[in-house]
Amino acid sequence: MRVIAVKALQQFWKTHADVEQSLKAWYKEAVEADWQELNDIKKRYPSADILPGNRVVFNIKGNQYRLIVKIHYNRSIVFVRFIGTHAEYDKIDALTI
């Protein structure tokens, strides 16, 4: 998969150093993945939340952080839409961000 907006992940771990390795591990797995449908993600990430519009919420670093992506399966592209703490996640609309 091609991950768009990697810079957002990098900027986030610059201010939240404790999550750097977890985000790098997620990124490596995403780039190497060949997700064709939501079930492919659920097989690897059973705790991921599936949202309408091909959005997926990943729990990062033992569920301390939330990562929202939008996936275009037919083009093998993952768009990073949000990365933040649970408190920050609670303040946004995951369906529109």
Side-chain angles (χ1 to χ4, degrees):
M1 304 296 286
R2 183 172 165 217
V3 178
I4 306 294
V6 176
K7 194 169 194 169
L9 300 178
Q10 294 168 337
Q11 289 173 339
F12 189 78
W13 74 54
K14 284 182 182 177
T15 57
H16 298 84
D18 63 316
V19 75
E20 180 177 359
Q21 294 308 314
S22 296
L23 285 174
K24 284 181 176 179
W26 176 88
Y27 172 78
K28 183 179 185 303
E29 285 188 34
V31 168
E32 294 174 356
D34 182 25
W35 297 324
Q36 298 294 313
E37 60 181 31
L38 292 172
N39 287 333
D40 295 338
I41 295 170
K42 287 300 276 186
K43 287 176 191 171
R44 171 63 184 97
Y45 298 97
S47 65
D49 295 324
I50 306 302
L51 303 177
N54 291 328
R55 291 175 187 259
V56 180
V57 181
F58 292 95
N59 299 317
I60 303 293
K61 195 174 185 262
N63 206 18
Q64 292 180 20
Y65 298 94
R66 292 281 177 101
L67 171 66
I68 301 173
V69 301
K70 183 171 182 164
I71 302 174
H72 289 246
Y73 296 98
N74 59 334
R75 292 153 79 199
S76 298
I77 298 175
V78 177
F79 293 93
V80 174
R81 305 298 298 154
F82 171 85
I83 177 68
T85 65
H86 269 277
E88 293 166 334
Y89 175 81
D90 289 341
K91 294 178 183 176
I92 61 145
D93 181 354
L95 300 176
T96 61
I97 195 162

